[in-house]
Structures are given as C-alpha cells and as structure tokens.
Amino acid sequence: MRQARAATNKVRIEEVARLAGVSPITVSRALNTPDKVNEKTRAAVFAAVEQTGYIPNRLAGSLASNRNRTIGVIIPTITNSIFADKVQGLSDTLTPAGYQILLGQSGYSIDREADLVAAFLAQSPSGLVVTGSAHSQRTQTMLKRSGVAVVETWTRNETPLDMQVGFSNEDAAFEMVRHLHSAGYRRIALVVASYADNDRAQGRLRGYRRAVNDLGIADAAIELQAEFSFSEGARALNELMAKRRKIDAIFFANDILAVGAILECQRRGIRVPQDVGIAGFDDLEIATVSVPSLTTVSIPRYDIGVTTAQLLLRRLDGETNLPGVDLGFRIVPRESTRRVG
Amino acid sequence: MRQARAATNKVRIEEVARLAGVSPITVSRALNTPDKVNEKTRAAVFAAVEQTGYIPNRLAGSLASNRNRTIGVIIPTITNSIFADKVQGLSDTLTPAGYQILLGQSGYSIDREADLVAAFLAQSPSGLVVTGSAHSQRTQTMLKRSGVAVVETWTRNETPLDMQVGFSNEDAAFEMVRHLHSAGYRRIALVVASYADNDRAQGRLRGYRRAVNDLGIADAAIELQAEFSFSEGARALNELMAKRRKIDAIFFANDILAVGAILECQRRGIRVPQDVGIAGFDDLEIATVSVPSLTTVSIPRYDIGVTTAQLLLRRLDGETNLPGVDLGFRIVPRESTRRVG
DNA sequence: TTGTATGCGTTATCAA
DNA sequence: TTGATAACGCATACAA
C-alpha cells in the first residue's frame, strides 16, 4: 500500500460531521443552504462548527461546484483615486453578498491586462470587471472562450464585450468645452493623459475636437499630453502660458492636473479665472475646496462600482440580457471658470 | 449507472497531454517545473498548450498541492491613498512573482477584519497582510490556528503576530511636536482620526502627549478627532480658531486634513505659518505643491508594500526567523511652519 | 430531510 | 525523465 498524502492539520467537514452526528453532506447543506436542513440538525452542526473552529475549504468547494465566489477586478492603477472609489463601490456591494475581490493593476497596458485576465481565469472567477473597452485580441479570445461574466467600466459604446457600466467620455468632454465657450473662453487648450490603448482619453480627445470644430474655435486649439500628478499640471500650465499664441482656458482631463495648475497660478500670480480659466474632470473632493474652487465634470465613480456589482450579481443569479448602463456625467461650474455674461 | 456530472467545456490538462503525446503529469511538470522535463517533451507540451489555449485550473492545482498563490490583503479603506500606495507596492512585487492579491476593506472595524480573515483563510492563501496591530481575539485565534504567514503593516511593536513592516507612529508624532516646538510654537493642538481599535492613531496620540509633557507645554494641549477629508480639516481649523484659548500650531495626523485647513486659512485670510503653523502626516504629493507647502512626516508608503511582499516571498521560500522591519519616517519641514531658529 | 456514491482537475507519491 | 495511481476536501446527483 502506498503512503497516504500528508493531510493538512486543518479541521475538515468530516470532523464537524462526526461531532454533530450527521454526514458530511448535511454539514455542507447546513452551511450553504440552511433552510434545506432541519432546525435541530442545523443547530447541532453550527455548534460543532463553533467548537472546532471549522473554516470550509473554498478551493475544494469551488472545484466541486464549479463556481468560485470571486470577482476579478482589473484597473489601470489603484493609485488614481477614481479607481479606488470604484473598487470601494464594488467591495461594498460584493463583500456582503459573499464574494471576494481579486485585484489586478494593468498599468494602462493591454498586454498586462491580458496576463491578468489569464491569471484570473485560472481561478475560475464568477465574473470579471475591466476598465475601458480597449483590449488585446488575446484578452477578447480568452474572455469569449471562458464564457465568464464581464463588465467593462468607465465607458459606453456600441460594441460591448458583454456588459458595460459607465458614461460617454466623448460627450462629457464635448459638453465641458461648450461650457467654457459659453463662459466666454475662445482659446481653449486640452491637457489629457496618454491615449495609447486608453479609450477614455481617446473619447475625451474626440469630444474636445468635435466641440472646437463645432464652435469654430479649432484654430486656437492646442492639445497636450501629461501624466497623472499635480506637478505635471503645473508643468503643462507653464508650457501653455509660454506659448506665443496665448490660450485663455485650459481643460484638464483630470482634477489632479487642474489643481496642480491652479496652485502653480497662485505661485506665479496668475489670476484664475480672469487670466486663465481652468477646468478639470472627475469632481474629486479637492475640486470643491480648492481656491478658487474647480469647474469640473462630475462622474459617478463610486456608483460605477456599485452598479457593476449589482449587474454581476443579477447575472450570476441567472438573469440574462442585462443592459449596458449609462450613468451619465454632470458639468459642475465653479469659480475657476469665468461667469457667463 | 448514475449520470455523470456535467463537465466544463474548458480545456483540461488531459487534452493537452493527449495532443502532446504525454501523460497529464508531464504537462503539469512542463508548466510548473520546466527543468525537470526533457527539452523536446517540453516543446511539445508548450505547443499543445498554445494550440488549445489551455489555462490551468488553479483551484484544482491548489487543492492538490495545498498551496494557493494568493495573498490576502486587508486594509481599512482603499479610498485613503496611503493604503493605495501600499497595495501598489504589494502588487508590483507579488504579481511578477506569480501571486494574486485578494483585497478586503475592514472599514477600520476589527470585527469586519475578522470576517475578512475567515473568508480569506477559506481560500488557503499563501499569506495575509493586515494593517496595524489591533485585532480581535477571533482574528488572532484564526491566524494562529491556520499557521499562515502574516505581516502586520504600518506599525512596529514588541508583540507581532508574526512579521511586521512599518514604523513607530508614536515616535513620528513625538518628533513632529518637537519640531514644532523648536520652530517656536508653544500652543500646539492635535487633530487625529478616531482611535477606537486604531493603533496607528493611538500611537500618534501617545507621541503627542509624551512630547507636550516632556516639553512642558501640556497645559496648552488640545486634542480633536476628525474624519478623513479636506472639509473635516477646515472644520477642525475653524473649531480650534474659535476657542478662547488660542493655539498657535496644529498638528494634523494626515495631510488631507492639513491641506483642508490650509485652504480654509486662505479663504479666511489667516496667514500660514505666521498666524498659525500647520503640520501634516504622510507626505502626499499635495504637501509639496500646496501653497504654502506643507510641513509633514514622510512615511515609506510604497516601500511598506514592497518590503512586505519581499518578506512574504522569502518566508514562502522557506526562510524562517524573519525580522520585523522598521522602515522609519522623516520629518519634512516646509513653508507651513516657521523656520527653526 | 438525510445519506451514498462519485467526480471536480490537478499534483504528490512512488515505481519504472 | 516519465508514468500509474491515489489523494486534495467538498458538492452534485440520485435514492431513500
């Protein structure tokens, strides 16, 4: 006879069952579907669980049942608080429902996204949450083959992989430029993140271009790229202010850049909004407390997480044909852009 | 004969093995320990993997091998960027090593922490990363029984559960108060997070109290609690400025509160650092770009994550007797407090 | 409502 | 270096 494999020292379902005087499957049922078990039996099982400190082995359970109460979440970087808010929304909704979150950061690379998708699929997750709609072919193939529920967030378009929860980045940028125009600005620059493989940045760029064209102010348009930081906002401001052809407003594609620019204006004695109007994107708390307060685009960061989680839970509950959800955006005029009239 | 259980449509190791003309275990070895397999065999296996798009089922693998390349990470909230930085450090180090991160948020509650520990232990993680050293009895019992590798972060003390990576919150607060004193401030208030079950806040409070006592300025000491936001910083400032017994400096236990106060001073025409000195904690980027820039305590947020991950990897590699790591802190004097001397 | 038999997909063990 | 066999710990299918 072969030697048996070294078993773990952990409590197993069998031990609980022995103690409760029932079979292992009854323990399983008492824990997973309590109403399918007699009240007295249930009590005995719970007592035995308590006494032994039994923690079910989900690896075994998931393997047997072929479903794992885990949701893979892939974001560009947790360091950008807009994604932290989304993760919070996901967590607040999924954790009470008994799901765990596997977190991965793509660093804005669709290749690293693909690696994470592969790693996550290996865990047989119940669902996957990704950011944006720019994915590598490999990612799309894997997702399709796996048949796992997928939600693309922070975006809206006509060709979802599966489900989507977000808003139109293009429309949001378009509306902000229109707002700046109606506030009297005519020479409006855009500062946006690198848009390689970033459909959100691409959308905002499209919205900006469409707006300046529609408004007939395209000749004064300037586009700049910047990383995500306060100091990059200051750098972009300085670069734009040094141009021969003066601009009179800057639309930053996120609030951190915009506030960095406002602070640089303060240091340099440039008046906002008189000398230059400044607008942001995201509506972080700092936009309301900044001096001057920041005109920006409010987006439902936390709600994207909550809605995504709810959609996933409904799908996992068997619902099909779930819709793409457009949670919209809102232009929030504040002190950093000139008043109309 | 009973009906067979519905198998998944996914590619299994057996199919890859057939295609490569070897046995399943050889495929397993080719993937997990490539050097234990003949080069030609390995090539055949890889080709078959490529052709089938095989993704190993880690649930099954982990169950069989009794180890799961997963690290559970429990933080108070991802919304506080200091923890986001730590997670980034963990992720940057663990992902390349083939580990996945299970993320849980305790909301500063040791009971929710215990629930998360139970949920994570059910996944047989390779290790667990928790925040601080305040844990419920239940958590301690579960961790001890499980024998899983644990790192407590953001703290240093004499009674680690297992490993620790952090710094002394008490010493950091103590040194900051000494710095304020040496800059000429004598009536120094403290604004700190709620310290129920929060050993970091408790440590900072102890450091503050020890310092004001040592320096003989305890009679002017005021302690205030505040949540984590810019507006709470403004609120705390206003509350302190309204007191009959004037204070001349405020030590905020995080930069967000401190910057909120600076911005409120700007709105109210209170001069910083002349009318009131303001100090923060964490050294976020905003501390350097704020006007005036913020005197604060720099802590190795990202490095805590990296070091924690490295420690875990070494432990999982068999090393024992790994030390607690004190990564220290640094007082960073800037414009928001008077010059020393 | 409870129990029996069996399988989930992989890896540890031992033998060749 | 490769393979046969037996676990890993639980839940599904079916019967009682």
Side-chain angles (χ1 to χ4, degrees):
Chain A
M1 175 109 181
R2 287 154 189 280
Q3 185 182 310
R5 192 183 300 203
T8 54
N9 55 351
K10 288 193 203 145
V11 181
R12 286 184 307 250
I13 201 169
E14 198 182 321
E15 185 175 334
V16 178
R18 244 196 331 264
L19 203 75
V22 296
S23 73
I25 187 63
T26 301
V27 175
S28 171
R29 280 196 276 253
L31 261 35
N32 296 323
T33 52
D35 13 304
K36 289 192 169 183
V37 168
N38 182 299
E39 195 181 316
K40 277 188 90 164
T41 317
R42 195 165 56 214
V45 170
F46 284 158
V49 167
E50 187 73 20
Q51 189 181 328
T52 53
Y54 171 64
I55 296 181
N57 183 332
R58 275 216 195 233
L59 256 32
S62 298
L63 179 62
S65 66
N66 195 32
R67 53 200 161 66
N68 189 2
R69 288 168 110 67
T70 286
I71 304 291
V73 176
I74 301 176
I75 57 178
T77 165
I78 193 68
T79 289
N80 185 333
S81 70
I82 60 174
F83 299 124
D85 289 333
K86 177 178 76 172
V87 170
Q88 180 88 51
L90 286 165
S91 177
D92 287 352
T93 313
L94 292 174
T95 304
Y99 287 80
Q100 304 303 326
I101 289 181
L102 266 174
L103 183 74
Q105 303 187 71
S106 70
Y108 292 95
S109 151
I110 61 173
D111 290 328
R112 291 188 54 190
E113 180 188 66
D115 292 341
L116 287 168
V117 167
F120 285 0
L121 286 180
Q123 309 249 25
S124 310
S126 296
L128 238 42
V129 178
V130 298
T131 306
S133 52
H135 312 291
S136 72
Q137 188 57 52
R138 194 174 140 232
T139 297
Q140 296 181 47
T141 307
M142 286 188 293
L143 291 179
K144 202 151 290 174
R145 290 176 72 129
S146 75
V148 75
V150 179
V151 183
E152 294 172 296
T153 59
W154 233 263
T155 191
R156 281 298 290 133
N157 60 43
E158 301 307 314
T159 54
L161 281 177
D162 182 3
M163 298 176 281
Q164 279 191 345
V165 176
F167 58 90
S168 167
N169 287 275
E170 177 174 344
D171 291 350
F174 180 82
E175 292 299 335
M176 178 54 91
V177 176
R178 292 224 317 174
H179 171 78
L180 291 170
H181 183 266
S182 74
Y185 296 103
R186 291 295 177 270
R187 314 185 64 79
I188 303 171
L190 173 74
V191 180
V192 67
S194 164
Y195 26 82
D197 298 331
N198 182 338
D199 60 297
R200 285 90 62 213
Q202 284 165 10
R204 294 175 198 182
L205 181 66
R206 274 199 310 276
Y208 169 80
R209 287 180 178 169
R210 180 155 63 86
V212 293
N213 277 320
D214 283 13
L215 296 166
I217 55 172
D219 54 326
I222 302 180
E223 295 159 8
L224 222 62
Q225 288 197 13
E227 303 294 304
F228 175 84
S229 73
F230 291 107
S231 60
E232 277 280 284
R235 185 190 62 69
L237 174 96
N238 288 330
E239 185 173 335
L240 287 169
M241 297 312 268
K243 293 234 189 263
R244 246 203 307 246
R245 306 195 54 198
K246 290 287 178 225
I247 48 98
D248 61 10
I250 311 175
F251 174 23
F252 289 92
N254 68 64
D255 284 355
I256 299 297
L257 287 172
V259 170
I262 285 181
L263 291 167
E264 181 68 6
C265 285
Q266 196 173 332
R267 279 188 293 268
R268 289 186 49 184
I270 299 171
R271 293 170 309 162
V272 178
Q274 295 88 339
D275 300 337
V276 63
I278 290 186
F281 202 112
D282 290 341
D283 197 22
L284 306 182
E285 193 203 355
I286 198 167
T288 71
V289 299
S290 154
V291 182
S293 60
L294 178 67
T295 295
T296 188
V297 183
S298 176
I299 56 171
R301 307 186 299 275
Y302 179 80
D303 279 347
I304 287 178
V306 171
T307 303
T308 297
Q310 290 170 338
L311 221 54
L312 278 173
L313 293 175
R314 285 169 58 189
R315 162 71 67 84
L316 299 177
D317 211 43
E319 260 185 82
T320 54
N321 252 334
L322 288 164
V325 180
D326 191 332
L327 290 176
F329 59 86
R330 198 163 43 84
I331 304 292
V332 184
R334 294 206 183 93
E335 300 164 352
S336 67
T337 53
R338 203 183 298 158
R339 295 288 161 71
V340 177
Chain B
M1 176 108 182
R2 284 153 193 280
Q3 183 183 311
R5 191 184 301 202
T8 54
N9 55 349
K10 288 191 203 144
V11 180
R12 285 184 308 250
I13 201 170
E14 198 182 323
E15 185 175 335
V16 178
R18 244 197 330 264
L19 204 74
V22 297
S23 73
I25 186 65
T26 301
V27 175
S28 171
R29 279 196 275 252
L31 262 37
N32 297 322
T33 52
D35 14 303
K36 290 193 168 183
V37 167
N38 181 299
E39 194 181 315
K40 278 189 89 165
T41 317
R42 196 165 57 213
V45 169
F46 284 158
V49 166
E50 188 72 21
Q51 190 182 327
T52 54
Y54 172 65
I55 296 181
N57 183 333
R58 276 219 196 230
L59 254 32
S62 298
L63 179 62
S65 66
N66 196 32
R67 53 202 160 66
N68 189 4
R69 288 168 110 65
T70 287
I71 305 290
V73 176
I74 301 177
I75 57 177
T77 166
I78 193 68
T79 289
N80 186 334
S81 70
I82 59 173
F83 300 124
D85 290 332
K86 176 177 77 174
V87 171
Q88 181 87 51
L90 286 165
S91 177
D92 287 353
T93 313
L94 292 174
T95 305
Y99 286 80
Q100 303 303 325
I101 289 181
L102 266 174
L103 184 74
Q105 303 186 71
S106 69
Y108 293 95
S109 151
I110 60 173
D111 290 328
R112 291 187 54 189
E113 180 189 63
D115 292 342
L116 287 168
V117 167
F120 285 0
L121 286 180
Q123 309 248 27
S124 310
S126 295
L128 237 42
V129 178
V130 298
T131 306
S133 52
H135 312 292
S136 72
Q137 188 57 54
R138 196 176 138 229
T139 297
Q140 297 182 48
T141 307
M142 287 187 294
L143 291 178
K144 203 150 291 174
R145 290 176 72 130
S146 75
V148 75
V150 179
V151 183
E152 295 172 295
T153 59
W154 232 262
T155 190
R156 279 299 289 135
N157 60 43
E158 302 307 314
T159 54
L161 281 177
D162 182 4
M163 298 177 280
Q164 279 190 344
V165 176
F167 56 91
S168 167
N169 287 275
E170 177 173 344
D171 291 351
F174 180 82
E175 292 300 337
M176 177 54 89
V177 175
R178 293 223 317 174
H179 172 77
L180 291 171
H181 183 267
S182 74
Y185 296 103
R186 292 295 178 269
R187 315 185 62 79
I188 303 171
L190 173 74
V191 181
V192 66
S194 164
Y195 25 83
D197 297 331
N198 182 336
D199 60 297
R200 285 90 62 213
Q202 285 165 10
R204 294 175 197 181
L205 180 66
R206 272 199 311 276
Y208 168 79
R209 287 181 179 169
R210 180 156 63 85
V212 293
N213 276 319
D214 283 14
L215 297 165
I217 55 172
D219 53 326
I222 301 181
E223 294 160 6
L224 223 61
Q225 288 198 12
E227 302 295 304
F228 176 83
S229 72
F230 291 107
S231 60
E232 277 280 284
R235 186 190 62 68
L237 174 96
N238 288 330
E239 186 173 334
L240 288 169
M241 298 310 269
K243 293 232 189 263
R244 247 205 306 251
R245 306 194 54 198
K246 290 287 180 228
I247 47 97
D248 60 9
I250 311 175
F251 174 22
F252 290 93
N254 68 65
D255 285 356
I256 300 297
L257 287 172
V259 170
I262 285 180
L263 291 166
E264 181 68 6
C265 286
Q266 196 173 331
R267 278 187 294 267
R268 289 187 48 185
I270 299 170
R271 294 169 309 164
V272 178
Q274 296 88 341
D275 299 337
V276 64
I278 290 186
F281 202 112
D282 290 341
D283 197 22
L284 306 183
E285 193 202 356
I286 198 168
T288 72
V289 299
S290 154
V291 181
S293 59
L294 178 67
T295 294
T296 189
V297 183
S298 177
I299 56 172
R301 306 186 300 274
Y302 179 80
D303 280 346
I304 287 178
V306 172
T307 303
T308 296
Q310 290 170 338
L311 221 54
L312 279 173
L313 293 174
R314 286 169 58 189
R315 163 71 67 83
L316 299 177
D317 210 44
E319 260 186 83
T320 54
N321 252 335
L322 288 163
V325 180
D326 192 331
L327 291 176
F329 59 86
R330 199 163 43 85
I331 304 293
V332 184
R334 294 205 183 92
E335 300 163 351
S336 67
T337 54
R338 264 177 238 150
R339 295 285 160 72
V340 177

